[in-house]
Every structure is written in structure tokens, then in C-alpha cells.
Amino acid sequence: MTTGLSARLPVTLVLVAVVTAVGAWAVPEGAGQRLYDDTTQFAAGAIAAFACFHAARSHAGVRVLWRVLLGVALTTWALVRLWWMIRDLVGPAGVPAVTVAGLALLTLPLLTFVALVAGSMALPRPVQASLRRDRTVLVIDSVLITGSLLAMVWSALPGRLFYDAGRDPWAVAVAAAYPVVDLVLVVMGVLLLITRPSSRAALTPLRLMVCAMLALGCSDTLRLLHPDGGVFASFVSAGYLVGPALLGLAAVSNRGQGDPRPLDRVDRDWLHLLLPYVPVVATGVFIAVRTGSGGQLTAYEAYLGWLVLGLVVARQMFTIVDNTVLLARVSEGQQELHHLAYHDPLTGLANRALFQERLVLALDAYRYRRVPVALLFADLDDFKLINDGFGHAMGDRLLRIVGDRLRAAVGPGDLVARLGGDEFAVLLERRGPETEETGHRILAALREPYVIDGHTVAVSASLGLVLPEPEDRELSADVLLRRADAAMYVSKRRGKNAMARYSAGADGGPNADLPHLLARAIGAPAEFGFETYYQPIVRFSDGAVVAVEALARWTDPIAGPVDPEVFVTVAERTGQVAAIDDFVLDRACADAAALANAYGRPIDVHVNVSAARLGQHGLEEAVLRALERHSVRASRLVVEITETRRIPELPPAVEVLHRLRQHGVRVALDDFGSGYNALAQLHSLPVDIVKLDSTLTDVDVAPERAGALCRSVLRICAELGVAVVAEGVETPARARALVDLGCDLGQGYLFGQPAPARSLTTIPTQPGPGMMIAP
């Protein structure tokens, strides 16, 4: 549309020039000249009005409104010209100087004024305020600048230019109203062009409207100064033709959507505030200089001065309102940002940052004023099962309900925080002996069933409670949190859904700080009780051991034996699981020769690797380094993917496994049927072995349901060429049932418990599954 408009504009101007020239040179002066002018101006107004109404059909909303208003204004303008044509034909004698038709011509600038105000609603605003306030400020600024310019022009004009004894004062006033309104419109359009960051689609019609009002304003000014036309008659007629033509072009420009691209403009918000005062200051300086040199203010200058002063006061009031609104919004924004920075977005509870700050203040109060303080650390039990079974949306809703129950179970002065995931903490300040009662009240509240979307789910929590000891004068917030975390793990080891209180004895006892002790043990595994145990994997047909699985075991000098599930969970939460995986990998490769001696032949070694490491740098290098260091054939190593957490990025993980298999290392999918390991992973990951979780191998307990599931998995794996190992084989009956289903390999307490390499001996061949297998 921009190309079409650029072609129509010069054509229109050329036509106007031709029509004006014809009127000036070919039409005789007097009544014929007036009739010609009225006829051409009528035609221009009628065509422009038709263009406005026609263009309005291609738009919607505010873009329709201002085009319709221009169409009505141009129609009224054309009808006045038509009336004057009829008057000229009948005879102009006796026509008064000021008529209703003459006043009706003011409809064009007035409706154009309304169209500009309405069109400004569609433009981006530098200050986001109400539309009514925004339109009011636009009008005040336009009138303020116009008044200042008029005062300057009035002061600069020589003599009494408008005082003519032969002219009717009322006619002069009406004639002067036209250029004044035109000037207001031009100023308003320029303000919109300068202060509003517009799109290209909005600039074209706005510029054309400003040019149209400039043309009409020039003609109205010349007509005011020279009512009879004189030498300026042709210019007056040309302006009255150019004005409607440009308004029509403004209406038809950018039909449809136009060009929605924003303009590349600098930030001009400061113009919105300063621009209205520039002409006011200039006019004030000009009048001050003139009066200072001996001149005097006329009544008109005084009236204009008071008008400008009143508008300045009104404009300042709106500016004050703007500032007040902006300050209120800034304050609200700061409060919102502060709330977001210190609160969890899901539950609305305090986050780790706010909890840390409050904990530091509470410890200072305890240290210097002995104000009681206690800390509760809560971790939901088996929350992963909720996410796996019902989806993360259900898990999020459950976390919100848990947060509400925690708030309801504590006092108004206590702080409840969500530290991340399913971990919560409660800071109990100024609490005495009832602290443990609060913990039991929280346990009771959280173990109540949750009804969400018609589903009833049960989730309990394990709590750790810690109170500063009297001798802990320099206790830090981090140490207190670690102790509460350690106490929470004690309750996990005791069976979950319980609360344990941290108590540090001479040897630390079961309440030792597990994250701290684990980090120390990983740094020196042999010194702090880390070992690698091995559990055999047996062929059902003859009971021969075909492989062993390497498992990490930890007996800390302070905490004593720590359950693998507990310390692996701690390692995952603290980012230390990769170090445990690498330790077991290295020890398994180092023990390969001892395992071959124990069983009389080389056997395969299965090593667990957290699925979270797949796709990350370091796993492939660690595997190849361990194989090379201990001279172990790659075909003897099986990497078991233990997916306690979802694989973060699947494509890189698949690439790593493909490269490991190219080196000869085989890949197993551990605990198939539980957690995230399911058919989707069997399809996506390149695996050689599937290890069935014990929930799928209890075929002796639930032969129909478990048997059907196990048979289906065995059939799928057989078609894919994937070997199957059944885990959790504890009885001869289960072993026979698995063989009947077609399973060849098994692992479980029936064939041996995990033990160090030094204690392994050759296991005698077991009888076939059709016979009684000794426990």
C-alpha cells in the first residue's frame, strides 16, 4: 500500500494544480470564478468523503471510527460547497457575511479534531494511563502550544492587521476561528508524530492528515487576511482542493492490516513531558523582551496569557498525577519483585533465600539473647511415585496442598519454606518444649489422604528436628540445615513417616551429618568405609554364575552402616553420585582378576551408572580409563542404567551408549518396570540386557497378573534380541515359575547375597528348576 500511495499522491497534486490553473486563467473573475471554485471544491470534498466511507469497510475498531468521522466531515464540507453553488447560480446579492453554511464549514476541522483524538487511541502511549486521561492531556498540550504560538504571532504582527472599518467584527471572528482550529489540528498531529512510537502503518495517514490541515490552514489564513482573494485567490482555491484530497488519501492508505513492523526509534518519552513547554517558554521570553523594551500588552495578549497560564497549571496537575501513578506502580513492582525473589512461585511459601536470612537472624538472637530456636526439615516419602503415576501437574497441586497444611500446622510467627523439589523446612522461633509436638502435628497433618481431581493419594513425610546445643556458640545456618537434613535421613532409615531429632554424641551415632560424612568418604573411600560388593547373576538351567553385579556399600566410622538407598539419595541430592559410580567402576575392573579366580573363569561384571550422567561429559572417559588401567576386556563390562531420575537429554545419552557399545561395552536397563525405566526407554536406548524389577518377577505370588506381564516383556525382548535377567529371585518356586515363562537368567538372595570379592567362592552348580532348589 505504501507504493500505491506514493504513486497516487503526486497524481493528486498534479490534478489539483491543473484544476487551479484552469480556474485562474480560463474562468473569468467574479461570479463565474466563485461558481468554478465551489464546483471543484464540492467535487473534491465529495470524492474524498466517498474514499473515507469506502476505506472504512476494510478496517475495524478505532480505524473505522476516525475514517467515518472524516467521511462525515467531508460530506458536510461538500454540502456547504453545493449550497454555495446553488446560491451563486440564483444570485449572491444580499447574502449576509456570516451564514449558517459558513459556520457549518467548521464541521470539517472539528470532526477532524475528534478523528485525531479517536485515532490516537490505537497508537502506543509513552505513559500507560487511562484513555480518558491520555486524550485530555493530548488536547491540553495541543491547545497550550497553539495558544503560545498565537500569542507570539500576535505580538510579532505589525500594527492592527485585523482592524478594518469595513469588516464585520463577527465575520472576522468566525473567519479567524478556521485557521486557529487548523493550527490546533496541525499541532496535535505533530505531537502524535513526535511523541508516539508508531508503526509504519500509522505514520502514513497521520502525516497526510497533518499536511491536509496545513493546506486548509494556509487557505483559511489567506482568506482571513484577504477576504476578497486578490492575488492569493489561486492559492486559497488550491488549499481547499489539496486539503480534502489529502484527507481522502489518508483514509485509503494502508488498507487491511498495513505494515505491522515497528519503527526503529530512540526513546523519546522525555519529549512527552518537555515539548509542550518549549513554545510557552519561547513566547514568554519574546513578550518579556518586547515589554522590556517599552511595549505594552494588549487585551488579547493578556487573555491569551491567562489562557496559557491556566493550561500550564492544568498540564502540571496531570503531570503530578502521572508521577504519583508511576511511583505507585514502581512501588508495587518493587514489592512484587521482592516477593518473587523471596517466595516459591508454586506454593507461595518462603524460598531458600528468605529462609536462610531468617535462620541467620534467629541464630543471632539465640546466640546473643538466648531466644529459643528450632528447625524442622521435611522430605515427602515416595513423592516420585506421584509424579510417575499421576503426572507432574498432579504433583504440583499436591505440593501446594502440602504447603497449606504446613502453614496451618504451625504458629503465626513460624516460617514455612520450600527449599526445592519435595523438601520443606520450618523455622520455629521462641518455642519451648512444644517444639516436638509441632513436629508430630505436622506428621499427622501430612499423612492425611489427599483428594485431587477425584483421586485419593496418600503421602507421608520424614522429618528431621534440630535444636542448637548450649555449647554451639558459633553455630551457622548451613551447619544447622545439614544437621536437620541428617536427622531427616535417620527417620528415612527407620521406615519413613517419622521424626528424628539430631543429637551429636561422642561418636556421632546414627544422627551424624550424612552429607558431610559422605563427601569426606568419597574423597578417601578406603579410609572411610566405602567398599564394592558383588552379587551373582545365575543361569537357571545349570545354576552357573555368568556375571556379578558390583554394588557400593558404606560403613562409616562415625555413622556406622548406611543403607545404600539412603546414601545414594544423599549423593544424588548433593551432586556426588558420579563420584560413587566412578569408584564402583574402578574397583570392579580392579577386582576382575580376583572374580575370575573365585569362579574359575572370566565372568562379566555389571556396574551401575546413574541415568542422570548419560549425555554428560566424563562417563565415556571414565569407563575407558578404568578398562585400560586394569587391562579388562570391554566385552566383560556391562553398564547398568539406573534411572532413579529422568534422563535430562535423550539424544546425547543415546550417542554415548552407542559409542560405548562400539568399544565392546554392553548396556543393561536396570529395574525395568519401575521408576522411569519402561517400554519407551527400551525403544529409545540401545540396550543388550534388560533386568526385570522384582515387581514383575513375583510370578509365584501373583501367577496370573505378574505372569502375563512377565511373559509379555520376555516376548518383546526376544523379538528385539535383548537378554533378560530376573531380579528378586528368592525362592525355588519363583525360579521354576520364571523358567516356565521362558526366562534364562536370574539374580537374588536364592543364589547369594552381595559380598566382597575376597569372600566369594565358586558356587556349585544348582539343580534344574524342575527339581527342588535348596535355599
Side-chain angles (χ1 to χ4, degrees), residues 164-175:
D164 189 345
R167 297 185 64 183
D168 181 10
W170 176 241
V172 173
V174 174

PDB file of all heavy atoms in Angstrom, residues 164-175:
ATOM      1  N   ASP A 164     -10.289  46.539  10.416  1.00  0.00           N
ATOM      2  CA  ASP A 164     -10.729  47.139   9.155  1.00  0.00           C
ATOM      3  C   ASP A 164     -12.145  47.643   9.377  1.00  0.00           C
ATOM      4  O   ASP A 164     -13.046  46.862   9.722  1.00  0.00           O
ATOM      5  CB  ASP A 164     -10.691  46.104   8.038  1.00  0.00           C
ATOM      6  CG  ASP A 164     -10.939  46.746   6.675  1.00  0.00           C
ATOM      7  OD1 ASP A 164     -11.407  47.880   6.644  1.00  0.00           O
ATOM      8  OD2 ASP A 164     -10.642  46.068   5.658  1.00  0.00           O
ATOM      9  N   ALA A 165     -12.288  48.957   9.168  1.00  0.00           N
ATOM     10  CA  ALA A 165     -13.602  49.575   9.449  1.00  0.00           C
ATOM     11  C   ALA A 165     -14.692  49.000   8.579  1.00  0.00           C
ATOM     12  O   ALA A 165     -15.871  49.022   8.937  1.00  0.00           O
ATOM     13  CB  ALA A 165     -13.514  51.095   9.263  1.00  0.00           C
ATOM     14  N   GLY A 166     -14.301  48.450   7.438  1.00  0.00           N
ATOM     15  CA  GLY A 166     -15.336  47.938   6.543  1.00  0.00           C
ATOM     16  C   GLY A 166     -15.714  46.503   6.814  1.00  0.00           C
ATOM     17  O   GLY A 166     -16.577  45.967   6.112  1.00  0.00           O
ATOM     18  N   ARG A 167     -15.145  45.857   7.803  1.00  0.00           N
ATOM     19  CA  ARG A 167     -15.419  44.433   8.035  1.00  0.00           C
ATOM     20  C   ARG A 167     -16.232  44.261   9.320  1.00  0.00           C
ATOM     21  O   ARG A 167     -16.025  44.957  10.310  1.00  0.00           O
ATOM     22  CB  ARG A 167     -14.123  43.649   8.142  1.00  0.00           C
ATOM     23  CG  ARG A 167     -13.280  43.682   6.859  1.00  0.00           C
ATOM     24  CD  ARG A 167     -12.068  42.796   6.974  1.00  0.00           C
ATOM     25  NE  ARG A 167     -12.453  41.379   7.117  1.00  0.00           N
ATOM     26  CZ  ARG A 167     -11.570  40.402   7.303  1.00  0.00           C
ATOM     27  NH1 ARG A 167     -10.281  40.709   7.358  1.00  0.00           N
ATOM     28  NH2 ARG A 167     -11.982  39.159   7.422  1.00  0.00           N
ATOM     29  N   ASP A 168     -17.123  43.298   9.270  1.00  0.00           N
ATOM     30  CA  ASP A 168     -17.957  42.969  10.424  1.00  0.00           C
ATOM     31  C   ASP A 168     -17.102  42.228  11.450  1.00  0.00           C
ATOM     32  O   ASP A 168     -16.469  41.208  11.123  1.00  0.00           O
ATOM     33  CB  ASP A 168     -19.127  42.094   9.969  1.00  0.00           C
ATOM     34  CG  ASP A 168     -20.056  41.740  11.126  1.00  0.00           C
ATOM     35  OD1 ASP A 168     -19.899  42.313  12.212  1.00  0.00           O
ATOM     36  OD2 ASP A 168     -20.933  40.868  10.914  1.00  0.00           O
ATOM     37  N   PRO A 169     -17.035  42.723  12.703  1.00  0.00           N
ATOM     38  CA  PRO A 169     -16.219  42.033  13.724  1.00  0.00           C
ATOM     39  C   PRO A 169     -16.618  40.579  13.902  1.00  0.00           C
ATOM     40  O   PRO A 169     -15.766  39.710  14.133  1.00  0.00           O
ATOM     41  CB  PRO A 169     -16.459  42.870  14.978  1.00  0.00           C
ATOM     42  CG  PRO A 169     -16.856  44.208  14.474  1.00  0.00           C
ATOM     43  CD  PRO A 169     -17.638  43.956  13.214  1.00  0.00           C
ATOM     44  N   TRP A 170     -17.928  40.298  13.818  1.00  0.00           N
ATOM     45  CA  TRP A 170     -18.376  38.908  13.956  1.00  0.00           C
ATOM     46  C   TRP A 170     -17.861  38.044  12.806  1.00  0.00           C
ATOM     47  O   TRP A 170     -17.444  36.904  12.990  1.00  0.00           O
ATOM     48  CB  TRP A 170     -19.891  38.891  14.027  1.00  0.00           C
ATOM     49  CG  TRP A 170     -20.496  37.509  14.081  1.00  0.00           C
ATOM     50  CD1 TRP A 170     -21.333  36.963  13.180  1.00  0.00           C
ATOM     51  CD2 TRP A 170     -20.284  36.513  15.075  1.00  0.00           C
ATOM     52  NE1 TRP A 170     -21.680  35.697  13.539  1.00  0.00           N
ATOM     53  CE2 TRP A 170     -21.035  35.383  14.730  1.00  0.00           C
ATOM     54  CE3 TRP A 170     -19.527  36.488  16.256  1.00  0.00           C
ATOM     55  CZ2 TRP A 170     -21.061  34.242  15.492  1.00  0.00           C
ATOM     56  CZ3 TRP A 170     -19.551  35.333  17.015  1.00  0.00           C
ATOM     57  CH2 TRP A 170     -20.314  34.221  16.634  1.00  0.00           C
ATOM     58  N   ALA A 171     -17.845  38.625  11.612  1.00  0.00           N
ATOM     59  CA  ALA A 171     -17.318  37.895  10.461  1.00  0.00           C
ATOM     60  C   ALA A 171     -15.827  37.647  10.613  1.00  0.00           C
ATOM     61  O   ALA A 171     -15.316  36.576  10.270  1.00  0.00           O
ATOM     62  CB  ALA A 171     -17.608  38.672   9.179  1.00  0.00           C
ATOM     63  N   VAL A 172     -15.120  38.648  11.150  1.00  0.00           N
ATOM     64  CA  VAL A 172     -13.684  38.467  11.384  1.00  0.00           C
ATOM     65  C   VAL A 172     -13.437  37.364  12.412  1.00  0.00           C
ATOM     66  O   VAL A 172     -12.544  36.524  12.261  1.00  0.00           O
ATOM     67  CB  VAL A 172     -13.045  39.792  11.845  1.00  0.00           C
ATOM     68  CG1 VAL A 172     -11.589  39.569  12.248  1.00  0.00           C
ATOM     69  CG2 VAL A 172     -13.136  40.840  10.750  1.00  0.00           C
ATOM     70  N   ALA A 173     -14.255  37.331  13.453  1.00  0.00           N
ATOM     71  CA  ALA A 173     -14.075  36.314  14.492  1.00  0.00           C
ATOM     72  C   ALA A 173     -14.304  34.901  13.939  1.00  0.00           C
ATOM     73  O   ALA A 173     -13.545  33.966  14.223  1.00  0.00           O
ATOM     74  CB  ALA A 173     -15.014  36.590  15.654  1.00  0.00           C
ATOM     75  N   VAL A 174     -15.385  34.775  13.102  1.00  0.00           N
ATOM     76  CA  VAL A 174     -15.660  33.462  12.518  1.00  0.00           C
ATOM     77  C   VAL A 174     -14.552  33.068  11.553  1.00  0.00           C
ATOM     78  O   VAL A 174     -14.080  31.922  11.530  1.00  0.00           O
ATOM     79  CB  VAL A 174     -17.032  33.468  11.818  1.00  0.00           C
ATOM     80  CG1 VAL A 174     -17.253  32.154  11.071  1.00  0.00           C
ATOM     81  CG2 VAL A 174     -18.144  33.678  12.829  1.00  0.00           C
ATOM     82  N   ALA A 175     -14.094  34.014  10.752  1.00  0.00           N
ATOM     83  CA  ALA A 175     -13.029  33.721   9.801  1.00  0.00           C
ATOM     84  C   ALA A 175     -11.733  33.352  10.517  1.00  0.00           C
ATOM     85  O   ALA A 175     -10.957  32.511  10.040  1.00  0.00           O
ATOM     86  CB  ALA A 175     -12.814  34.920   8.874  1.00  0.00           C
TER      87      ALA A 175
END
